[in-house]
């Protein structure tokens, strides 16, 4: 584990996408998922995730001008923040977004071309509409896995954004520990985090877990009115975005003192965590890293979880996954979350999660958990 | 506008769904969108919206036991809150959720049956996987529009939940007006709302708009660090969920005094709003209601928006839409948001949005905007 920073040229996202299109014989790629709209254009229309019919699309031809297609009412936000050349707005209910995408493609002579689309996002019905709205020769090619692969290695500006909000999330954990003790409710903690996260430049918390006592064993535990009791473990996972990039940092806090079993499990998990961090370097294959995790957990007498890490970027869980199934060689510039955990249903859960940047000679810890629970109060 | 309450039998959601299946010759319906999972089962796995590959599915045969399919790590939440008979959990990365859905269907002898699915949600790739995993005779039938239609008229327990969180949202607007004045930041207002919303039983704010000054004209304006200035209009829209049902209540506040133009526009919008509320009754067709809105706005010299209302339930915008395109006769038990607005780009925006329950003889206002801006401070 070293502290060097990967050197990368500035914003290379569109360049990487076009290199991929060149290599795979695609004329154009149309991204529509929130994460790939964010990746390509730098902004997602706020209501895109909530009102599913308000499709957004980023049209990136191998050559030529790029177009952002969005519902008219999101025009101001998109115009203010999109990196693409053009913005094409459609009337909700009156125009079908697939027709507008098809028209934009035809306007550039791409109506019958080889078009990369996200078939793991695009609904079946919209896929059909798009096919019918295009010219006869059009071919829709799934590029979901390719986009996931392109996004794995981050550029300098992406790393900057991830680092800024990740370190902010880590600092907020420390503030929570100092500001709260038993008697506080999970919701009070959540509100505090929400406020600090916004102050730190967060867009919002996508999924915040604040689980105290036996709720610390529930993985995606939203805050409730439950009051933290003396002796409770509190698992807090700060998942949110800033400029469309995620933070995902979990800490285990305790109100009072952990008991011997909790102390022992924390220490075992922490040792597993450090061994994983020490093992991270370019060329290491994710399934091998997972195997190391699995062996360490079994040796420690702890139940292994089905994954121990994942890539982080414009989506929360992305390639490279660190599990038994995915075998991806690490590369400098990847950002991983490493998160060993033990959850004993109905009793307690302990998790240590850090964000890590793979560097030329190992990794840099964007966040760095300490070797003990965070003590509250 | 009266104040009677619609009488409905208790929870009729599955019953309505089965009546529809009977009428349309379907053997089973499989819902997978967050809103229709929530509608059928009463809970959505927290990470379903964030990690798209973690599909959830509710399998409702016309006859026989109902099954909730979810990723294993969401088991505790789903088991605790699902209304369905069975919970079937799958291993992330190892099992494809479509295979698990297909297996569950085959286990009930439905592997080759007529299966209702949401083709406007189900991704193209997953649709293909499901078809391949089912028996040869299986037929996937789009039921998106049917489910939207079934959801239009709410039952008593749905109305209770909507009323509780809607009135809470309205009360929070009043609290904001009393607690803040110029000098406060939009984020401070947002944090306050977030805290109060959680205290009121909200699951979380899905999309909160706090737009001050010229930002009041941006429709989906997340809170920023901008400080509210004396004389600013502040548009606040409280969109979130409680027990999976939405609140959507917007108010226009002012820090100081509105100018004559703003006062005039508010008054005109308010009059339009009241005329719409007065016109709501069973049998009224939504496009006629929109036409009334359009005429009133033109007569008032205000630019009409492309819709003025929408249904509210387990999704934010749902049938019946009140616009020029949708012609749906209103029925008792429907819940509508009526939301005339005027947004002058770069200057200011004014919006009045109430939640309304259609009753046997008119409508009941779940929330009721006053005839003037809410004064801050």
């Amino acid at each position: 584990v070293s502290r060097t920073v990967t050197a990368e040229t500035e914003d290379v996202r569109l360049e990487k996408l076009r290199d991929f299109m060149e290599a795979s014989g695609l004329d154009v790629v149309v991204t529509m998922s929130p994460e790939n709209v964010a990746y390509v254009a730098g902004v997602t229309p706020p209501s895109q995730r909530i009102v599913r019919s308000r499709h957004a699309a980023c049209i990136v031809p191998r050559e030529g001008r790029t177009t952002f297609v969005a519902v008219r009412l999101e025009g101001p936000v998109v115009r203010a923040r999109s990196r693409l050349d053009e913005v094409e707005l459609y009337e909700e209910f009156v125009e079908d977004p697939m027709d507008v995408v098809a028209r934009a493609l035809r306007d550039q002579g791409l109506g019958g071309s080889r078009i990369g689309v996200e078939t793991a996002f695009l609904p079946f019905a919209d896929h059909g509409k798009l096919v019918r709205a295009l010219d006869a020769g059009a071919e829709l090619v799934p590029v979901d896995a390719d986009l996931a692969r392109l996004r794995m290695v981050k550029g300098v500006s992406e790393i900057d954004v991830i680092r800024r909000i990740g370190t902010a999330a880590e600092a907020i954990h420390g503030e929570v520990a100092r500001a709260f003790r038993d008697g506080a409710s999970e919701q009070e903690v959540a509100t505090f985090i929400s406020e600090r996260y916004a102050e730190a430049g967060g867009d919002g918390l996508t999924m915040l877990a604040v689980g105290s006592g036996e709720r610390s064993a529930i993985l995606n535990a939203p805050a409730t009115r439950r009051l933290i009791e003396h002796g409770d473990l509190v698992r807090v996972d700060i998942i949110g975005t800033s400029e469309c990039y995620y933070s995902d940092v979990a800490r285990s806090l305790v109100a009072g003192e952990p008991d011997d079993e909790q102390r022992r499990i924390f220490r075992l998990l922490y040792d597993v965590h450090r061994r994983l961090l020490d093992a991270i370097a370019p060329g290491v294959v994710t399934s091998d890293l997972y195997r190391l995790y699995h062996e360490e957990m079994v040796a420690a007498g702890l139940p292994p979880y089905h994954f121990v890490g994942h890539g982080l970027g414009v989506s929360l869980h992305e390639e490279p996954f660190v599990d038994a199934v995915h075998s991806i060689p690490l590369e400098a510039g990847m950002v991983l979350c490493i998160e060993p955990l033990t959850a004993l249903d109905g009793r307690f859960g302990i998790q240590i999660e850090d964000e890590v940047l793979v560097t030329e000679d190992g990794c840099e810890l964007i966040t760095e958990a300490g070797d003990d629970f965070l003590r509250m109060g």
Side-chain angles (χ1 to χ4, degrees), chain A:
Chain A
V1 180
S2 75
R3 290 253 165 202
T4 59
V5 179
T6 307
E8 288 267 337
T9 54
E10 190 51 15
D11 200 344
V12 293
R13 284 163 281 208
L14 284 182
E15 198 181 313
K16 281 161 66 175
L17 184 53
R18 284 179 158 144
D19 287 349
F20 155 68
M21 290 155 68
E22 187 77 41
S24 55
L26 289 168
D27 300 304
V28 57
V29 164
V30 182
T31 66
M32 296 198 204
S33 69
E35 66 271 21
N36 283 320
V37 165
Y39 183 72
V40 169
V43 58
T44 51
S47 63
Q48 181 192 6
R49 287 179 193 266
I50 321 292
V51 183
R52 196 166 51 247
S53 56
R54 289 184 185 165
H55 276 295
C58 294
I59 302 177
V60 181
R62 197 168 62 204
E63 290 165 19
R65 294 177 73 74
T66 55
T67 306
F68 197 124
V69 174
V71 67
R72 179 164 307 280
L73 64 96
E74 299 287 16
V77 174
V78 171
R79 284 193 198 284
R81 293 172 51 196
S82 164
R83 285 191 293 261
L84 303 194
D85 299 320
E86 315 280 355
V87 174
E88 185 80 38
L89 302 175
Y90 63 85
E91 299 296 339
E92 189 173 25
F93 307 131
V94 177
E95 296 173 284
D96 190 287
M98 296 306 126
D99 289 335
V100 178
V101 168
R103 191 174 65 217
L105 286 167
R106 277 199 309 270
D107 284 350
Q108 292 197 71
L110 296 166
S113 66
R114 286 198 85 213
I115 303 163
V117 297
E118 295 172 83
T119 60
F121 170 79
L122 186 63
F124 181 80
D126 295 299
H127 185 280
K129 283 182 194 168
L130 187 55
V131 167
R132 288 190 295 276
L134 289 166
D135 301 337
E139 185 186 354
L140 298 191
V141 181
V143 294
D144 308 81
D146 306 286
L147 293 173
R149 186 176 44 74
L150 288 182
R151 284 179 9 222
M152 286 197 299
V153 173
K154 270 70 183 176
V156 167
S157 62
E158 298 181 271
I159 293 169
D160 281 351
V161 174
I162 293 172
R163 192 196 310 274
R164 207 176 308 130
I165 195 64
T167 54
E170 179 172 47
I172 292 168
H173 280 296
E175 286 187 77
V176 166
R178 286 188 293 277
F180 294 95
R181 47 171 296 172
D182 48 289
S185 74
E186 293 173 355
Q187 275 174 359
E188 284 164 355
V189 172
T191 298
F192 177 89
I193 294 171
S194 170
E195 189 167 0
R196 287 292 185 279
Y197 199 77
E199 286 168 4
D203 307 325
L205 291 162
T206 317
M207 190 168 60
L208 172 66
V210 181
S212 63
E214 64 177 45
R215 295 192 75 252
S216 60
I218 302 173
L219 292 188
N220 299 318
T224 68
R225 295 176 196 202
R226 185 183 185 284
L227 302 183
I228 297 168
E229 294 173 19
H230 188 74
D232 273 356
L233 298 192
V234 184
R235 203 178 56 77
V236 178
D237 196 354
I238 301 183
I239 297 174
T241 60
S242 175
E243 298 175 48
C244 299
Y245 282 80
Y246 273 86
S247 72
D248 184 8
V249 183
R251 293 286 181 265
S252 295
L253 295 76
V254 63
E257 284 298 318
D259 64 26
D260 287 348
E261 181 189 18
Q262 293 165 341
R263 205 185 302 266
R264 189 180 62 81
I265 292 176
F266 186 99
R267 189 67 218 186
L268 290 167
L269 276 180
Y270 181 77
D271 289 344
V272 170
H273 187 56
R274 295 305 302 197
R275 281 188 203 120
L276 289 170
L277 298 178
D278 286 342
I280 291 174
V284 172
V285 174
T286 54
S287 54
D288 290 341
L289 195 60
Y290 180 79
R291 190 174 312 125
L292 172 65
Y293 158 76
H294 198 278
E295 288 168 4
E296 294 277 350
M297 290 291 276
V298 170
L302 298 175
Y305 196 59
H306 73 288
F307 71 100
V308 69
H310 55 83
L312 186 76
V314 288
S315 71
L316 175 63
H317 284 190
E318 59 183 42
E319 299 284 12
F321 286 99
V322 185
D323 74 340
V325 180
H326 297 76
S327 293
I328 297 164
L330 296 181
E331 293 176 57
M334 289 176 171
V335 174
L336 301 175
C337 290
I338 299 293
E339 50 170 332
L341 70 89
T342 293
L344 304 176
D345 263 12
R347 298 189 57 217
F348 60 81
I350 300 175
Q351 183 179 18
I352 304 170
E353 181 175 35
D354 279 315
E355 297 181 4
V356 173
L357 171 64
V358 182
T359 57
E360 297 297 341
D361 56 356
C363 74
E364 176 204 324
L365 300 180
I366 295 173
T367 66
E368 183 168 4
D371 63 359
D372 199 355
F373 292 97
L374 291 175
R375 295 299 201 283
M376 302 183 79

